[in-house]
Amino acid sequence: MANNWWEIQVLCEPALEDLVFLRLESFGCQGTASQTKGSSCLVLAYLPQEKAQLLDLSALSLLLRQDALCMSFQAPVIKWSLIEEEDWGVNWRKHWHPQKIGDRFLINPAWLPIPTDSDRLILRLDPGVAFGTGDHPTTELCLEALEMRLGDDSEQQNAVIADIGCGSGILSIGAILLGAHRAIAVDTDPLAVRAARENRELNKIAKEQITIQQGSVLQVKELIDQPVNGIVCNILAEVIIDLIPEMNAIAGPETWGIFSGILLDQAKPVADTLEQHGWIVAALWRRQDWCCFNVRHA
Ligand SMILES: C[S@@+](CC[C@H](N)C(=O)[O-])C[C@H]1O[C@@H](n2cnc3c(N)ncnc32)[C@H](O)[C@@H]1O
């Protein structure tokens, strides 16, 4: 059978964009992108055909409409169609452009020429089907937090970091470009592992500098003989809450953490769990409906 994909289009009020992203991600969509359409926002997402039946898509559509009604927004317009693998790549690429993040980064799609006139750190990326193009607020927050942790004057230039849920590898590559010594990147999704390895090559980073393996926190534990200096973890709040107890196996007294993927109204249970497991919340950064915890081990 050909590798076909569902292309799901959701035209919604901009205030609903984050929630739509979240719903689509929980539904299993990949390669999500958004663009402005007049005063509305068009969110595009892709899902392998075999992962959803028409009935599932109808249920998703109902859920998105209910969300909008509960929040007194206009119901979004939702469409879906089946497209072929090659068209998926072409369609999605049209919507993704170079993007400046924080003070230091320029995220450049792999298929575009490398700019020669930029004084930014150029992070080349082809995320394939993995999450992590940099156009999601949580990825932006994590990269900006890494800038703060690994900035030029920082003592952290020799840092070893763990990247839990690495997706495309964007945060590990960003950390190495900022001067970190080594990153250990793990993801439970084999497609993310593949994409992260390809992006490591694309950025000409040695395999010894970014170790990429399928797995999660316990996989990192097997690869280190002393605590890591920092942990970045941009996954949904429910997953982070489950992983926090395991993180003590890779953290020491000086370890810092950057945790995102957390909606503002999920911040309290995450903060409580962090504190229960020996982390001090130093700062909470916010972008749209999302937040990012900057923490350090007590
Ligand atoms: C929101 S994406 C983040 C990607 C990238 N780090 C970024 O910041 O853009 C979350 C990633 O976490 C992975 N993931 C989900 N649960 C996980 C777990 N328990 N352990 C490790 N990775 C997990 C998913 O496969 C996905 O690639």
Side-chain angles (χ1 to χ4, degrees):
M1 190 178 78
N3 279 337
N4 288 334
W5 289 74
W6 290 109
E7 181 181 69
I8 304 172
Q9 298 193 10
V10 183
L11 188 68
C12 62
E13 294 194 36
L16 272 178
E17 180 183 347
D18 279 341
L19 188 57
V20 170
F21 255 95
L22 185 72
R23 290 283 188 217
L24 291 169
E25 198 189 304
S26 315
F27 193 65
C29 289
Q30 297 158 341
T32 316
S34 69
Q35 57 182 275
T36 308
K37 283 266 172 197
S39 60
S40 301
C41 170
L42 177 65
V43 181
L44 290 161
Y46 299 89
L47 184 74
Q49 179 183 9
E50 67 275 9
K51 286 211 178 165
Q53 308 283 329
L54 278 173
L55 207 60
D56 303 318
L57 290 161
S58 306
L60 173 71
S61 168
L62 196 66
L63 191 61
L64 291 172
R65 283 157 194 273
Q66 271 172 1
D67 284 340
L69 292 177
C70 290
M71 296 166 74
S72 305
F73 289 118
Q74 273 202 338
V77 179
I78 301 145
K79 290 188 208 162
W80 52 80
S81 55
L82 270 177
I83 58 172
E84 289 185 3
E85 176 98 39
E86 306 84 74
D87 297 335
W88 172 74
V90 174
N91 281 12
W92 180 72
R93 285 174 178 211
K94 277 194 296 208
H95 299 289
W96 192 39
H97 306 288
Q99 186 194 351
K100 289 180 184 166
I101 295 186
D103 294 328
R104 306 285 309 275
F105 290 109
L106 176 69
I107 312 295
N108 206 58
W111 48 92
L112 296 181
I114 303 173
T116 49
D117 55 352
S118 175
D119 54 0
R120 286 177 170 257
L121 298 170
I122 296 175
L123 201 161
R124 301 188 70 208
L125 217 57
D126 186 346
V129 295
F131 185 102
T133 57
D135 71 354
H136 195 267
T138 59
T139 311
E140 285 180 29
L141 285 165
C142 289
L143 283 172
E144 289 169 16
L146 278 171
E147 277 186 12
M148 181 194 72
R149 286 290 182 188
L150 301 169
D152 282 340
D153 308 328
S154 162
E155 293 167 5
Q156 294 283 337
Q157 289 283 306
N158 286 323
V160 174
I161 67 143
D163 177 3
I164 316 290
C166 64
S168 64
I170 184 169
L171 302 181
S172 289
I173 296 168
I176 297 297
L177 294 181
L178 285 168
H181 176 63
R182 184 182 174 208
I184 299 157
V186 288
D187 201 297
T188 46
D189 179 353
L191 293 177
V193 171
R194 193 173 80 188
R197 287 182 179 153
E198 285 168 4
N199 285 315
R200 176 181 63 193
E201 303 289 304
L202 195 63
N203 287 277
K204 301 192 178 1
I205 295 174
K207 285 184 183 153
E208 306 74 55
Q209 263 198 299
I210 308 183
T211 309
I212 303 167
Q213 295 215 352
Q214 189 175 350
S216 191
V217 179
L218 298 180
Q219 190 64 34
V220 176
K221 168 80 184 128
E222 293 193 1
L223 291 164
I224 54 170
D225 47 23
Q226 54 186 354
V228 294
N229 301 94
I231 300 175
V232 275
C233 181
N234 179 19
I235 316 185
L236 294 174
E238 306 86 90
V239 183
I240 293 183
I241 287 174
D242 284 349
L243 292 180
I244 287 171
E246 291 177 15
M247 286 188 193
N248 282 346
I250 60 168
E254 304 290 316
T255 304
W256 47 262
I258 297 168
F259 297 116
S260 195
I262 302 156
L263 283 165
L264 275 175
D265 59 11
Q266 299 168 320
K268 181 158 178 3
V270 176
D272 290 347
T273 313
L274 282 166
E275 281 168 10
Q276 281 158 18
H277 290 86
W279 296 89
I280 295 170
V281 176
L284 184 146
W285 292 357
R286 170 183 177 175
R287 179 137 326 139
Q288 296 166 26
D289 291 338
W290 298 92
C291 62
C292 173
F293 283 95
N294 281 289
V295 304
R296 63 185 170 77
H297 218 261

